[in-house]
Amino acid sequence: MRILVTTLLFWLFIFQTKAQQNSADQSYQLIIGKSQLYNPYIQYKSYYLLTLIQELPDLRKAIAEDQVFQKLLKDKSNNAATALKTCAQNISCYADAMKFSEAEILLVNERLSTLYKEENVFGEVAKNHLLPSGCYGLFQDLPGQQLLIKAWEQDAKALNYAIEVYIEGKKPNYPKIDSIAFSSKDKEFPTFISSNVSLNTGPDKKLFFEPSMNFALGALKLNNRLEAADYEPMNTGVNQSAIAKIKKTNFKNYKYSVILVPGAGPEDRDTELSAGGMIRCRIAAIQYHKGVAPFIVVSGGRVHPYKTKYSEAYEMKKFLVSTLHIPENSIIMEPHARHTTTNLRNCIRLMFRYGMPMEKLGLISTIKSTIPYISGILSDRCKKELGYYPYKIGQTLSDTEVEFYPNSMSLQIDFDEPLDP
């Protein structure tokens, strides 16, 4: 019996050790690119592996000097040149030239598989960046070689998706708030696209993915869909004082790490903060003054109405500080979420990146009508749309409060949400 128990404990230890090795690391510092062409915060949030290839010297050299990747770059550049000569007003023609085809994605898969060794630069990037970053958490239990391939496939799908939505006009997941800014009847749009191809191809591009990635980033810029970079860098800006307080906070003195307030956007362009947003802030402020948590997280981006200039998180923070007299260093802004699934996911991301204890419960404070939804079917919606459960729901404490357990899987990049990946 003792031998059986010892054996079970041994295998439990091995399982836990493996899980810890494969999970994201709170001490890992994300690498943000130095791109001068397009916003580096948008780039690294959507295409983290591609950003690493640009920024890590040894990895960049290995990719740039490889003959297979050199040929692929030449082929993509030739496709772009042909498109400029022949596509004229045909928008899909330009898009097809710049997207990665299934055959091209497979070609990169095969080359990465051949080049990968645990002890070389490709193995190092999987072990020291892809795993600890959490950006590819859905693949964290795969061998390093497969993790690298899946990361590339995810980034390729992400840039293809951005081109499909913001060049070709494909409907995004939330058409009312995230659609293309141009009409299919706009006679100038093909000219803009042609210029976008010209600007992002040429001899200065040294990496096989740069023409396509920059074309996708250019598409977002053309549409003025730069929401993913709102208020960045937040750690030295809107959240700087809160981060300083986090470092000094003894979380053992509180039942919850944060009070999350999901945003509620107005439906007209002239209203800064909706009545629903004000009520949610007041509910959260009551809990804050009770001392249940040291921080309030206000979550919501520039969402409603279409292309609004007002950020839900910013307006809620302003209301909490100026009207409800909550100290600014007790408020964490999360200004990127575009729906309830990412209110929770993005809150958990900031908790992780800012060094909060991930084993501690969080509290959601909101209006009565949304609590049954959050404590009920929302988790299944998260699974369907994100591919995982970013949280586990805890107890429903009242008509306006429910607990949640954070899950670091929330760091996983969402390839088909370029405004909030």
Side-chain angles (χ1 to χ4, degrees):
M1 183 65 179
R2 181 178 294 177
I3 294 175
L4 177 60
V5 171
T6 302
T7 302
L8 288 173
L9 289 173
F10 171 77
W11 284 111
L12 179 61
F13 171 77
I14 293 296
F15 175 80
Q16 289 177 331
T17 301
K18 185 178 188 302
Q20 290 169 355
Q21 288 174 342
N22 285 1
S23 61
D25 183 352
Q26 280 189 289
S27 67
Y28 179 81
Q29 297 294 309
L30 290 166
I31 293 177
I32 301 167
K34 304 179 185 67
S35 171
Q36 299 299 313
L37 291 175
Y38 299 104
N39 193 294
Y41 290 91
I42 294 175
Q43 178 182 318
Y44 95 91
K45 287 182 179 182
S46 286
Y47 322 117
Y48 193 55
L49 172 60
L50 304 188
T51 300
L52 290 173
I53 294 173
Q54 285 186 325
E55 299 301 322
L56 299 175
D58 291 343
L59 182 61
R60 181 186 180 94
K61 185 174 186 290
I63 295 291
E65 295 181 356
D66 181 79
Q67 291 185 352
V68 173
F69 291 136
Q70 284 181 346
K71 183 178 185 304
L72 180 55
L73 173 62
K74 183 177 180 180
D75 290 344
K76 297 301 290 181
S77 299
N78 288 341
N79 290 347
T82 300
L84 290 170
K85 293 177 182 177
T86 62
C87 288
Q89 298 294 105
N90 188 336
I91 291 172
S92 292
C93 176
Y94 292 108
D96 288 342
M98 301 308 293
K99 289 189 294 186
F100 280 102
S101 68
E102 289 298 323
E104 289 169 336
I105 291 173
L106 181 60
L107 172 67
V108 176
N109 285 354
E110 292 173 347
R111 191 57 184 159
L112 289 175
S113 180
T114 299
L115 293 172
Y116 178 91
K117 298 288 186 295
E118 284 190 12
E119 66 277 6
N120 70 8
V121 66
F122 296 96
E124 289 296 313
V125 75
K127 180 176 66 175
N128 295 332
H129 293 279
L130 302 185
L131 271 177
S133 73
C135 295
Y136 305 94
L138 286 173
F139 318 118
Q140 66 185 14
D141 293 324
L142 296 177
Q145 182 188 61
Q146 290 301 308
L147 171 63
L148 179 64
I149 289 170
K150 289 295 184 182
W152 149 247
E153 288 179 347
Q154 178 177 297
D155 285 12
K157 286 196 300 182
L159 65 86
N160 280 358
Y161 184 87
I163 294 170
E164 288 166 359
V165 172
Y166 294 107
I167 294 294
E168 296 181 277
K170 173 184 174 180
K171 282 188 176 182
N173 295 321
Y174 297 89
K176 289 185 178 180
I177 57 174
D178 295 340
S179 293
I180 191 172
F182 295 89
S183 166
S184 59
K185 298 177 183 178
D186 191 325
K187 294 181 180 180
E188 284 191 295
F189 190 44
T191 302
F192 297 154
I193 296 171
S194 174
S195 296
N196 192 25
V197 173
S198 297
L199 286 168
N200 293 302
T201 54
D204 60 318
K205 304 299 181 291
K206 305 299 183 184
L207 298 167
F208 72 90
F209 58 82
E210 285 180 330
S212 299
M213 183 182 73
N214 287 344
F215 181 76
L217 292 168
L220 291 169
K221 179 67 174 177
L222 273 176
N223 284 267
N224 196 27
R225 301 315 308 243
L226 309 179
E227 287 91 337
D230 281 358
Y231 299 98
E232 295 287 8
M234 295 193 297
N235 62 327
T236 57
V238 293
N239 288 335
Q240 185 174 22
S241 63
I243 293 170
K245 181 182 172 182
I246 287 171
K247 294 176 181 178
K248 301 175 183 177
T249 298
N250 185 351
F251 285 90
K252 293 179 181 178
N253 294 334
Y254 300 89
K255 185 174 182 181
Y256 304 107
S257 55
V258 299
I259 302 165
L260 169 62
V261 187
E267 292 303 330
D268 65 275
R269 292 192 173 276
D270 297 325
T271 300
E272 297 177 8
L273 180 61
S274 70
M278 293 182 192
I279 293 295
R280 294 171 193 221
C281 287
R282 290 187 182 277
I283 292 169
I286 290 171
Q287 295 301 319
Y288 174 82
H289 287 305
K290 288 180 180 178
V292 301
F295 297 97
I296 297 174
V297 177
V298 285
S299 175
R302 291 187 287 124
V303 184
H304 299 284
Y306 177 76
K307 297 187 90 170
T308 179
K309 63 182 179 180
Y310 294 116
S311 165
E312 294 170 11
Y314 177 80
E315 299 303 331
M316 286 193 289
K317 177 179 178 178
K318 188 166 68 173
F319 182 73
L320 283 167
V321 172
S322 63
T323 302
L324 302 181
H325 308 296
I326 305 295
E328 184 177 3
N329 68 353
S330 295
I331 303 169
I332 297 171
M333 263 181 62
E334 188 294 292
H336 302 121
R338 305 189 68 73
H339 37 81
T340 313
T341 56
T342 50
N343 284 141
L344 277 152
R345 181 200 70 178
N346 292 0
C347 171
I348 294 165
R349 285 180 174 181
L350 294 186
M351 292 168 66
F352 186 94
R353 299 297 185 198
Y354 293 168
M356 291 185 172
M358 293 298 288
E359 70 280 0
K360 200 171 188 69
L361 277 164
L363 183 69
I364 302 168
S365 285
T366 184
I367 57 176
K368 179 179 178 180
S369 60
T370 60
I371 290 294
Y373 172 66
I374 291 173
S375 61
I377 63 173
L378 179 61
S379 62
D380 289 333
R381 180 182 164 191
C382 290
K383 176 67 174 176
K384 179 181 178 181
E385 295 185 12
L386 303 176
Y388 57 89
Y389 298 107
Y391 67 94
K392 179 183 176 183
I393 210 67
Q395 290 185 336
T396 299
L397 304 179
S398 70
D399 289 342
T400 56
E401 271 84 32
V402 63
E403 302 172 334
F404 71 95
Y405 296 87
N407 181 0
S408 62
M409 188 62 75
S410 295
L411 303 173
Q412 166 69 39
I413 293 171
D414 191 356
F415 81 91
D416 63 351
E417 288 288 345
L419 307 191
D420 179 28

